[in-house]
Amino acid sequence: MKADNFVDAAVAAYTVEHTTPPDDVLLSLAEETARLTGGDAVMQISPEQGTLLTMLVQISGARRAMEVGTFTGYSSICIARGLPEDGRLIACDVSEDWTSVARRYWEKAGVAHKIELRLGPAADTLRAMPEEASFDFAFIDADKRGYRAYYEEILARLVPGGVICVDNTLQSGAIVDPGAGGNVPVMRGFNDFVASDDRVTTALLPVADGLTLIRKI
Ligand SMILES: C[S@@+](CC[C@H](N)C(=O)[O-])C[C@H]1O[C@@H](n2cnc3c(N)ncnc32)[C@H](O)[C@@H]1O
């Protein structure tokens, strides 16, 4: 699970303690992911983000959702749980290995019937879809350099009032460090673009590694 190193550790722990915790399926998925993927397990969303994603899907009344970056399935389960029984989530990833774990846990969580996996670069998957209002909800959590393209392709296919959630927008707090390298300048460019995009309203929440909520006007 992800370290929230820009929030005071005691406050971060308090936040988690006062958020509905993951159930046994999600706990077991987190344990298996740590065992199978080692250091890569930090890619999994945090438990409080998972609870928030389920609630956002429920509150928005979304029926059709898109995920970019599925990994071993934690966030997809949280999104699918918020959808109604006939709701659908298209889950995009490039890794057959990691998503084979996700497939097993979709069965265990009882949400497999709501999820369709699309393997391949997500930008190609999105561009292959008709440019019409197909989604009410989307979650972007993949390669950071692809975020701008995912955002544009999803926005073109989002209903007015639809919501896009974007993970890792605070980069462990390094987003405000002008000297930081790696993905930080890329993410700063993305954040600046979205904050000034008059097609949407935006709220950047300091939850876990930073979660930006974007609503299409
Ligand atoms: C941060 S992890 C996603 C974590 C996941 N949301 C969870 O809760 O466990 C990023 C994922 O993006 C995938 N990915 C990387 N580049 C991609 C691309 N071009 N298209 C689709 N998926 C990609 C990786 O294979 C990886 O599984």
Side-chain angles (χ1 to χ4, degrees):
M1 291 285 167
K2 214 163 275 177
D4 305 328
N5 54 11
F6 61 92
V7 176
D8 175 85
V11 176
Y14 184 90
T15 306
V16 173
E17 282 160 16
H18 293 79
T19 297
T20 302
D23 69 354
D24 288 346
V25 175
L26 289 174
L27 285 174
S28 155
L29 170 58
E31 281 164 21
E32 185 165 344
T33 300
R35 204 166 57 244
L36 292 177
T37 73
D40 287 337
V42 294
M43 295 204 292
Q44 195 164 60
I45 61 163
S46 66
E48 71 277 21
Q49 270 184 308
T51 301
L52 179 60
L53 277 182
T54 302
M55 290 178 68
L56 287 170
V57 175
Q58 289 168 330
I59 292 164
S60 67
R63 308 181 71 80
R64 297 163 300 170
M66 159 63 65
E67 174 178 80
V68 177
T70 296
F71 190 43
T72 58
Y74 197 107
S75 53
S76 54
I77 290 173
C78 296
I79 294 167
R81 282 180 166 168
L83 295 170
E85 269 310 296
D86 63 348
R88 289 290 173 270
L89 168 65
I90 295 178
C92 301
D93 206 288
V94 285
S95 169
E96 186 131 30
D97 280 358
W98 284 334
T99 55
S100 68
V101 179
R103 282 183 192 277
R104 276 196 286 116
Y105 276 86
W106 293 340
E107 292 291 344
K108 288 185 201 226
V111 295
H113 62 289
K114 298 185 194 177
I115 305 178
E116 182 191 330
L117 177 64
R118 303 254 176 112
L119 279 176
D124 294 348
T125 302
L126 283 160
R127 286 179 189 133
M129 293 177 178
E131 247 189 68
E132 58 192 31
S134 317
F135 303 112
D136 315 297
F137 187 92
F139 181 50
I140 300 176
D141 185 21
D143 54 310
K144 309 311 162 203
R145 282 163 208 278
Y147 272 29
R148 256 304 285 285
Y150 305 145
Y151 173 73
E152 288 298 341
E153 298 302 333
I154 289 170
L155 198 62
R157 293 164 179 81
L158 199 69
V159 297
V163 175
I164 307 174
C165 298
V166 183
D167 196 20
N168 308 115
T169 49
L170 290 178
Q171 294 288 293
S172 303
I175 201 74
V176 293
D177 175 358
N183 284 326
V184 175
V186 176
M187 192 58 78
R188 204 179 290 127
F190 176 80
N191 290 342
D192 290 346
F193 177 80
V194 171
S196 63
D197 187 349
D198 59 13
R199 297 171 295 176
V200 299
T201 48
T202 298
L204 202 171
L205 308 181
V207 175
D209 195 27
L211 184 73
T212 300
L213 308 188
I214 301 164
R215 181 180 182 274
K216 182 172 176 176
I217 292 170

